[in-house]
Amino acid sequence: MKRTVFCTLALLLALLTPAAANSTPTRLDGVGGSALEVDENCPVTVTAEQLTFQIQRDNDYGRLCAQVTAVYQMENPTEEPLTVPMAFYLEERKGQVGSGLEPSQVSVTADGQALSFTQREVENDDPDRERTALVYTVEFPAGGTREVAVSYPSFSYSIQEGTTYWRHTFTYLLSPAQYWAHFGTLDVEISAPEEAPYIIDSTLPLEAAGEGR
C-alpha cells in the first residue's frame, strides 16, 4: 500500500558591476529565497544536491539574472512505495520591476521526466515580500531513488549607493534542509558574466575554479 507523506528545500552571493554615473542610492529588487521544505516525519533522504547559478545580464532591466538549477539525489529507505507531495518556494519583493515568473520559465523534473506543478501564494509576515510555492508530487518505489530537479530564473537584488559599481545579490535559503531525514553533500557551481566576474561575499566558502567560476 502506498503512503503519502508531505515533503518542503531552502547562499548569499554578491557580485559587482559598473553602474551608471549616478551618485544617488539606486536599487533593483530581485527574486530569490527559494526552498524545498520537508515535513519532519518524511522518511525520504537527500544524498546529494548540485546547485548551479548561470548568471547573465537581464537586458530588459539592467540587473543580473541567474538560471538556478537545483538537482537532488533522493532516496526512499522504506520498504513501501511513497507518494511525496513537495513544494519549492520562490520569494520576491512587492512592486519590483518585472516581478513574477511565468510557468514556462520553470522546470520541475524527476529522472528527466517533466512533472506537472501548480503555483500557490504563501502567507508570510513581511508585508514587502510575496511568496509563491511550486507544488508537485514525486512517486518513489520501495527502496528506490529519484533525481528531482527544479530550474527557474532568479533576479538579483541590485543596489548602487555612493559608488560607481552595482552590487548584485542572489539569495538561496539553505536552512530548511535540516528537516529532511538525512541531507548529504551540497555542491555549488557559479558561472559569473564578464561584466560581473567577482564574487565579493558569500555565506558559504567558495573556491575559484577558473575565470568567472
Side-chain angles (χ1 to χ4, degrees), residues 75-104:
E75 181 178 358
N76 171 19
T78 74
E79 297 180 355
E80 302 177 29
L82 297 178
T83 298
V84 183
M86 298 185 185
F88 193 99
Y89 290 104
L90 302 173
E91 183 178 275
E92 64 187 17
R93 291 174 179 267
K94 289 183 179 179
Q96 71 182 68
V97 177
S99 63
L101 296 178
E102 297 295 329
S104 60

PDB file of all heavy atoms in Angstrom, residues 75-104:
ATOM      1  N   GLU A  75      16.291   9.458  -1.953  1.00  0.00           N
ATOM      2  CA  GLU A  75      16.134   8.010  -1.734  1.00  0.00           C
ATOM      3  C   GLU A  75      14.989   7.739  -0.768  1.00  0.00           C
ATOM      4  O   GLU A  75      14.812   8.433   0.235  1.00  0.00           O
ATOM      5  CB  GLU A  75      17.439   7.428  -1.176  1.00  0.00           C
ATOM      6  CG  GLU A  75      17.382   5.922  -0.947  1.00  0.00           C
ATOM      7  CD  GLU A  75      18.690   5.357  -0.449  1.00  0.00           C
ATOM      8  OE1 GLU A  75      19.662   6.147  -0.330  1.00  0.00           O
ATOM      9  OE2 GLU A  75      18.763   4.141  -0.196  1.00  0.00           O
ATOM     10  N   ASN A  76      14.212   6.717  -1.091  1.00  0.00           N
ATOM     11  CA  ASN A  76      13.176   6.204  -0.199  1.00  0.00           C
ATOM     12  C   ASN A  76      13.745   4.986   0.516  1.00  0.00           C
ATOM     13  O   ASN A  76      13.866   3.924  -0.077  1.00  0.00           O
ATOM     14  CB  ASN A  76      11.936   5.826  -1.000  1.00  0.00           C
ATOM     15  CG  ASN A  76      10.904   5.078  -0.162  1.00  0.00           C
ATOM     16  OD1 ASN A  76      10.931   5.127   1.070  1.00  0.00           O
ATOM     17  ND2 ASN A  76      10.005   4.375  -0.835  1.00  0.00           N
ATOM     18  N   PRO A  77      14.103   5.094   1.803  1.00  0.00           N
ATOM     19  CA  PRO A  77      14.734   3.981   2.503  1.00  0.00           C
ATOM     20  C   PRO A  77      13.749   2.935   3.016  1.00  0.00           C
ATOM     21  O   PRO A  77      14.175   1.921   3.573  1.00  0.00           O
ATOM     22  CB  PRO A  77      15.449   4.674   3.667  1.00  0.00           C
ATOM     23  CG  PRO A  77      14.560   5.838   3.987  1.00  0.00           C
ATOM     24  CD  PRO A  77      13.995   6.290   2.657  1.00  0.00           C
ATOM     25  N   THR A  78      12.448   3.175   2.832  1.00  0.00           N
ATOM     26  CA  THR A  78      11.457   2.256   3.375  1.00  0.00           C
ATOM     27  C   THR A  78      11.145   1.128   2.396  1.00  0.00           C
ATOM     28  O   THR A  78      11.547   1.162   1.235  1.00  0.00           O
ATOM     29  CB  THR A  78      10.153   3.001   3.708  1.00  0.00           C
ATOM     30  OG1 THR A  78       9.449   3.316   2.487  1.00  0.00           O
ATOM     31  CG2 THR A  78      10.436   4.295   4.464  1.00  0.00           C
ATOM     32  N   GLU A  79      10.423   0.161   2.857  1.00  0.00           N
ATOM     33  CA  GLU A  79      10.035  -0.984   2.028  1.00  0.00           C
ATOM     34  C   GLU A  79       8.671  -0.783   1.393  1.00  0.00           C
ATOM     35  O   GLU A  79       8.071  -1.730   0.881  1.00  0.00           O
ATOM     36  CB  GLU A  79      10.047  -2.260   2.878  1.00  0.00           C
ATOM     37  CG  GLU A  79      11.426  -2.602   3.424  1.00  0.00           C
ATOM     38  CD  GLU A  79      11.435  -3.866   4.268  1.00  0.00           C
ATOM     39  OE1 GLU A  79      10.326  -4.425   4.501  1.00  0.00           O
ATOM     40  OE2 GLU A  79      12.518  -4.301   4.697  1.00  0.00           O
ATOM     41  N   GLU A  80       8.174   0.455   1.419  1.00  0.00           N
ATOM     42  CA  GLU A  80       6.879   0.770   0.826  1.00  0.00           C
ATOM     43  C   GLU A  80       7.035   1.836  -0.243  1.00  0.00           C
ATOM     44  O   GLU A  80       7.870   2.742  -0.104  1.00  0.00           O
ATOM     45  CB  GLU A  80       5.905   1.294   1.891  1.00  0.00           C
ATOM     46  CG  GLU A  80       5.658   0.369   3.049  1.00  0.00           C
ATOM     47  CD  GLU A  80       4.750   1.011   4.076  1.00  0.00           C
ATOM     48  OE1 GLU A  80       3.902   1.856   3.682  1.00  0.00           O
ATOM     49  OE2 GLU A  80       4.898   0.711   5.268  1.00  0.00           O
ATOM     50  N   PRO A  81       6.239   1.768  -1.316  1.00  0.00           N
ATOM     51  CA  PRO A  81       6.209   2.885  -2.266  1.00  0.00           C
ATOM     52  C   PRO A  81       5.671   4.127  -1.568  1.00  0.00           C
ATOM     53  O   PRO A  81       4.798   4.025  -0.692  1.00  0.00           O
ATOM     54  CB  PRO A  81       5.253   2.404  -3.371  1.00  0.00           C
ATOM     55  CG  PRO A  81       5.131   0.937  -3.164  1.00  0.00           C
ATOM     56  CD  PRO A  81       5.336   0.681  -1.710  1.00  0.00           C
ATOM     57  N   LEU A  82       6.167   5.285  -1.926  1.00  0.00           N
ATOM     58  CA  LEU A  82       5.729   6.529  -1.307  1.00  0.00           C
ATOM     59  C   LEU A  82       5.264   7.520  -2.363  1.00  0.00           C
ATOM     60  O   LEU A  82       5.880   7.652  -3.418  1.00  0.00           O
ATOM     61  CB  LEU A  82       6.865   7.176  -0.505  1.00  0.00           C
ATOM     62  CG  LEU A  82       7.424   6.422   0.695  1.00  0.00           C
ATOM     63  CD1 LEU A  82       8.573   7.211   1.311  1.00  0.00           C
ATOM     64  CD2 LEU A  82       6.343   6.162   1.726  1.00  0.00           C
ATOM     65  N   THR A  83       4.178   8.199  -2.063  1.00  0.00           N
ATOM     66  CA  THR A  83       3.729   9.340  -2.852  1.00  0.00           C
ATOM     67  C   THR A  83       4.060  10.584  -2.040  1.00  0.00           C
ATOM     68  O   THR A  83       3.529  10.775  -0.946  1.00  0.00           O
ATOM     69  CB  THR A  83       2.218   9.260  -3.126  1.00  0.00           C
ATOM     70  OG1 THR A  83       1.945   8.086  -3.894  1.00  0.00           O
ATOM     71  CG2 THR A  83       1.737  10.492  -3.882  1.00  0.00           C
ATOM     72  N   VAL A  84       4.954  11.423  -2.572  1.00  0.00           N
ATOM     73  CA  VAL A  84       5.506  12.524  -1.777  1.00  0.00           C
ATOM     74  C   VAL A  84       5.152  13.864  -2.412  1.00  0.00           C
ATOM     75  O   VAL A  84       5.766  14.275  -3.403  1.00  0.00           O
ATOM     76  CB  VAL A  84       7.036  12.395  -1.646  1.00  0.00           C
ATOM     77  CG1 VAL A  84       7.581  13.503  -0.752  1.00  0.00           C
ATOM     78  CG2 VAL A  84       7.417  11.022  -1.092  1.00  0.00           C
ATOM     79  N   PRO A  85       4.160  14.595  -1.870  1.00  0.00           N
ATOM     80  CA  PRO A  85       3.916  15.966  -2.321  1.00  0.00           C
ATOM     81  C   PRO A  85       5.059  16.863  -1.846  1.00  0.00           C
ATOM     82  O   PRO A  85       5.488  16.782  -0.688  1.00  0.00           O
ATOM     83  CB  PRO A  85       2.600  16.342  -1.634  1.00  0.00           C
ATOM     84  CG  PRO A  85       1.990  15.041  -1.221  1.00  0.00           C
ATOM     85  CD  PRO A  85       3.147  14.138  -0.910  1.00  0.00           C
ATOM     86  N   MET A  86       5.565  17.699  -2.733  1.00  0.00           N
ATOM     87  CA  MET A  86       6.660  18.608  -2.401  1.00  0.00           C
ATOM     88  C   MET A  86       6.279  20.031  -2.793  1.00  0.00           C
ATOM     89  O   MET A  86       5.403  20.252  -3.615  1.00  0.00           O
ATOM     90  CB  MET A  86       7.947  18.204  -3.122  1.00  0.00           C
ATOM     91  CG  MET A  86       8.476  16.850  -2.770  1.00  0.00           C
ATOM     92  SD  MET A  86      10.080  16.541  -3.582  1.00  0.00           S
ATOM     93  CE  MET A  86      10.338  14.828  -3.092  1.00  0.00           C
ATOM     94  N   ALA A  87       7.000  20.993  -2.188  1.00  0.00           N
ATOM     95  CA  ALA A  87       6.798  22.401  -2.525  1.00  0.00           C
ATOM     96  C   ALA A  87       8.144  23.089  -2.582  1.00  0.00           C
ATOM     97  O   ALA A  87       8.989  22.892  -1.706  1.00  0.00           O
ATOM     98  CB  ALA A  87       5.896  23.090  -1.508  1.00  0.00           C
ATOM     99  N   PHE A  88       8.355  23.893  -3.605  1.00  0.00           N
ATOM    100  CA  PHE A  88       9.589  24.663  -3.783  1.00  0.00           C
ATOM    101  C   PHE A  88       9.204  26.126  -3.769  1.00  0.00           C
ATOM    102  O   PHE A  88       8.383  26.562  -4.567  1.00  0.00           O
ATOM    103  CB  PHE A  88      10.251  24.292  -5.109  1.00  0.00           C
ATOM    104  CG  PHE A  88      11.657  24.775  -5.268  1.00  0.00           C
ATOM    105  CD1 PHE A  88      12.727  23.931  -5.028  1.00  0.00           C
ATOM    106  CD2 PHE A  88      11.917  26.078  -5.672  1.00  0.00           C
ATOM    107  CE1 PHE A  88      14.037  24.370  -5.175  1.00  0.00           C
ATOM    108  CE2 PHE A  88      13.213  26.524  -5.825  1.00  0.00           C
ATOM    109  CZ  PHE A  88      14.282  25.664  -5.572  1.00  0.00           C
ATOM    110  N   TYR A  89       9.789  26.905  -2.846  1.00  0.00           N
ATOM    111  CA  TYR A  89       9.341  28.270  -2.625  1.00  0.00           C
ATOM    112  C   TYR A  89      10.172  29.303  -3.371  1.00  0.00           C
ATOM    113  O   TYR A  89      11.401  29.206  -3.426  1.00  0.00           O
ATOM    114  CB  TYR A  89       9.367  28.592  -1.132  1.00  0.00           C
ATOM    115  CG  TYR A  89       8.313  27.849  -0.360  1.00  0.00           C
ATOM    116  CD1 TYR A  89       8.651  26.752   0.416  1.00  0.00           C
ATOM    117  CD2 TYR A  89       6.981  28.232  -0.439  1.00  0.00           C
ATOM    118  CE1 TYR A  89       7.679  26.049   1.106  1.00  0.00           C
ATOM    119  CE2 TYR A  89       6.003  27.541   0.251  1.00  0.00           C
ATOM    120  CZ  TYR A  89       6.354  26.449   1.026  1.00  0.00           C
ATOM    121  OH  TYR A  89       5.402  25.759   1.702  1.00  0.00           O
ATOM    122  N   LEU A  90       9.496  30.301  -3.894  1.00  0.00           N
ATOM    123  CA  LEU A  90      10.120  31.461  -4.522  1.00  0.00           C
ATOM    124  C   LEU A  90       9.620  32.706  -3.801  1.00  0.00           C
ATOM    125  O   LEU A  90       8.446  32.797  -3.441  1.00  0.00           O
ATOM    126  CB  LEU A  90       9.755  31.538  -6.005  1.00  0.00           C
ATOM    127  CG  LEU A  90      10.138  30.320  -6.852  1.00  0.00           C
ATOM    128  CD1 LEU A  90       9.565  30.467  -8.254  1.00  0.00           C
ATOM    129  CD2 LEU A  90      11.649  30.173  -6.908  1.00  0.00           C
ATOM    130  N   GLU A  91      10.528  33.669  -3.600  1.00  0.00           N
ATOM    131  CA  GLU A  91      10.169  34.884  -2.876  1.00  0.00           C
ATOM    132  C   GLU A  91      10.613  36.101  -3.665  1.00  0.00           C
ATOM    133  O   GLU A  91      11.678  36.098  -4.269  1.00  0.00           O
ATOM    134  CB  GLU A  91      10.852  34.872  -1.510  1.00  0.00           C
ATOM    135  CG  GLU A  91      10.489  36.049  -0.632  1.00  0.00           C
ATOM    136  CD  GLU A  91      11.170  35.944   0.720  1.00  0.00           C
ATOM    137  OE1 GLU A  91      10.616  35.270   1.616  1.00  0.00           O
ATOM    138  OE2 GLU A  91      12.260  36.527   0.869  1.00  0.00           O
ATOM    139  N   GLU A  92       9.803  37.136  -3.663  1.00  0.00           N
ATOM    140  CA  GLU A  92      10.165  38.369  -4.353  1.00  0.00           C
ATOM    141  C   GLU A  92       9.586  39.555  -3.614  1.00  0.00           C
ATOM    142  O   GLU A  92       8.658  39.417  -2.814  1.00  0.00           O
ATOM    143  CB  GLU A  92       9.664  38.354  -5.801  1.00  0.00           C
ATOM    144  CG  GLU A  92       8.145  38.322  -5.929  1.00  0.00           C
ATOM    145  CD  GLU A  92       7.691  38.131  -7.365  1.00  0.00           C
ATOM    146  OE1 GLU A  92       8.508  37.706  -8.181  1.00  0.00           O
ATOM    147  OE2 GLU A  92       6.530  38.426  -7.646  1.00  0.00           O
ATOM    148  N   ARG A  93      10.162  40.732  -3.888  1.00  0.00           N
ATOM    149  CA  ARG A  93       9.673  41.961  -3.273  1.00  0.00           C
ATOM    150  C   ARG A  93       8.463  42.486  -4.042  1.00  0.00           C
ATOM    151  O   ARG A  93       8.443  42.454  -5.259  1.00  0.00           O
ATOM    152  CB  ARG A  93      10.783  43.018  -3.239  1.00  0.00           C
ATOM    153  CG  ARG A  93      11.904  42.674  -2.291  1.00  0.00           C
ATOM    154  CD  ARG A  93      13.039  43.679  -2.398  1.00  0.00           C
ATOM    155  NE  ARG A  93      14.097  43.344  -1.467  1.00  0.00           N
ATOM    156  CZ  ARG A  93      14.188  43.834  -0.229  1.00  0.00           C
ATOM    157  NH1 ARG A  93      13.283  44.680   0.200  1.00  0.00           N
ATOM    158  NH2 ARG A  93      15.174  43.475   0.566  1.00  0.00           N
ATOM    159  N   LYS A  94       7.489  42.964  -3.320  1.00  0.00           N
ATOM    160  CA  LYS A  94       6.295  43.504  -3.948  1.00  0.00           C
ATOM    161  C   LYS A  94       6.626  44.749  -4.756  1.00  0.00           C
ATOM    162  O   LYS A  94       7.429  45.567  -4.345  1.00  0.00           O
ATOM    163  CB  LYS A  94       5.250  43.850  -2.887  1.00  0.00           C
ATOM    164  CG  LYS A  94       4.620  42.636  -2.225  1.00  0.00           C
ATOM    165  CD  LYS A  94       3.550  43.050  -1.240  1.00  0.00           C
ATOM    166  CE  LYS A  94       2.895  41.836  -0.599  1.00  0.00           C
ATOM    167  NZ  LYS A  94       1.864  42.227   0.392  1.00  0.00           N
ATOM    168  N   GLY A  95       6.007  44.860  -5.919  1.00  0.00           N
ATOM    169  CA  GLY A  95       6.158  46.045  -6.739  1.00  0.00           C
ATOM    170  C   GLY A  95       7.452  46.135  -7.496  1.00  0.00           C
ATOM    171  O   GLY A  95       7.739  47.165  -8.089  1.00  0.00           O
ATOM    172  N   GLN A  96       8.240  45.076  -7.508  1.00  0.00           N
ATOM    173  CA  GLN A  96       9.508  45.140  -8.226  1.00  0.00           C
ATOM    174  C   GLN A  96       9.277  45.166  -9.730  1.00  0.00           C
ATOM    175  O   GLN A  96       8.246  44.725 -10.227  1.00  0.00           O
ATOM    176  CB  GLN A  96      10.390  43.952  -7.876  1.00  0.00           C
ATOM    177  CG  GLN A  96       9.903  42.628  -8.457  1.00  0.00           C
ATOM    178  CD  GLN A  96      10.798  41.488  -8.042  1.00  0.00           C
ATOM    179  OE1 GLN A  96      10.831  41.134  -6.891  1.00  0.00           O
ATOM    180  NE2 GLN A  96      11.519  40.932  -8.985  1.00  0.00           N
ATOM    181  N   VAL A  97      10.257  45.686 -10.460  1.00  0.00           N
ATOM    182  CA  VAL A  97      10.159  45.745 -11.911  1.00  0.00           C
ATOM    183  C   VAL A  97      10.251  44.335 -12.477  1.00  0.00           C
ATOM    184  O   VAL A  97      11.137  43.568 -12.130  1.00  0.00           O
ATOM    185  CB  VAL A  97      11.280  46.625 -12.489  1.00  0.00           C
ATOM    186  CG1 VAL A  97      11.222  46.636 -14.007  1.00  0.00           C
ATOM    187  CG2 VAL A  97      11.161  48.042 -11.945  1.00  0.00           C
ATOM    188  N   GLY A  98       9.319  43.969 -13.344  1.00  0.00           N
ATOM    189  CA  GLY A  98       9.362  42.660 -13.972  1.00  0.00           C
ATOM    190  C   GLY A  98       9.124  41.526 -13.001  1.00  0.00           C
ATOM    191  O   GLY A  98       9.706  40.452 -13.136  1.00  0.00           O
ATOM    192  N   SER A  99       8.286  41.733 -11.986  1.00  0.00           N
ATOM    193  CA  SER A  99       8.068  40.711 -10.966  1.00  0.00           C
ATOM    194  C   SER A  99       7.237  39.565 -11.527  1.00  0.00           C
ATOM    195  O   SER A  99       6.528  39.682 -12.506  1.00  0.00           O
ATOM    196  CB  SER A  99       7.351  41.321  -9.759  1.00  0.00           C
ATOM    197  OG  SER A  99       6.062  41.781 -10.139  1.00  0.00           O
ATOM    198  N   GLY A 100       7.362  38.419 -10.867  1.00  0.00           N
ATOM    199  CA  GLY A 100       6.573  37.257 -11.234  1.00  0.00           C
ATOM    200  C   GLY A 100       7.251  36.393 -12.277  1.00  0.00           C
ATOM    201  O   GLY A 100       7.973  36.880 -13.131  1.00  0.00           O
ATOM    202  N   LEU A 101       7.000  35.089 -12.192  1.00  0.00           N
ATOM    203  CA  LEU A 101       7.549  34.137 -13.142  1.00  0.00           C
ATOM    204  C   LEU A 101       6.415  33.444 -13.883  1.00  0.00           C
ATOM    205  O   LEU A 101       5.400  33.086 -13.290  1.00  0.00           O
ATOM    206  CB  LEU A 101       8.399  33.081 -12.417  1.00  0.00           C
ATOM    207  CG  LEU A 101       9.659  33.573 -11.706  1.00  0.00           C
ATOM    208  CD1 LEU A 101      10.337  32.406 -11.006  1.00  0.00           C
ATOM    209  CD2 LEU A 101      10.611  34.237 -12.686  1.00  0.00           C
ATOM    210  N   GLU A 102       6.593  33.275 -15.169  1.00  0.00           N
ATOM    211  CA  GLU A 102       5.627  32.534 -15.957  1.00  0.00           C
ATOM    212  C   GLU A 102       5.896  31.039 -15.792  1.00  0.00           C
ATOM    213  O   GLU A 102       7.049  30.621 -15.616  1.00  0.00           O
ATOM    214  CB  GLU A 102       5.733  32.913 -17.432  1.00  0.00           C
ATOM    215  CG  GLU A 102       5.419  34.369 -17.729  1.00  0.00           C
ATOM    216  CD  GLU A 102       3.975  34.723 -17.417  1.00  0.00           C
ATOM    217  OE1 GLU A 102       3.109  33.824 -17.545  1.00  0.00           O
ATOM    218  OE2 GLU A 102       3.711  35.872 -17.047  1.00  0.00           O
ATOM    219  N   PRO A 103       4.855  30.198 -15.839  1.00  0.00           N
ATOM    220  CA  PRO A 103       5.072  28.751 -15.735  1.00  0.00           C
ATOM    221  C   PRO A 103       6.071  28.217 -16.749  1.00  0.00           C
ATOM    222  O   PRO A 103       6.809  27.272 -16.458  1.00  0.00           O
ATOM    223  CB  PRO A 103       3.668  28.180 -15.968  1.00  0.00           C
ATOM    224  CG  PRO A 103       2.741  29.258 -15.519  1.00  0.00           C
ATOM    225  CD  PRO A 103       3.430  30.548 -15.889  1.00  0.00           C
ATOM    226  N   SER A 104       6.136  28.836 -17.929  1.00  0.00           N
ATOM    227  CA  SER A 104       7.062  28.381 -18.963  1.00  0.00           C
ATOM    228  C   SER A 104       8.520  28.628 -18.576  1.00  0.00           C
ATOM    229  O   SER A 104       9.431  28.040 -19.173  1.00  0.00           O
ATOM    230  CB  SER A 104       6.761  29.077 -20.290  1.00  0.00           C
ATOM    231  OG  SER A 104       6.903  30.486 -20.160  1.00  0.00           O
TER     232      SER A 104
END
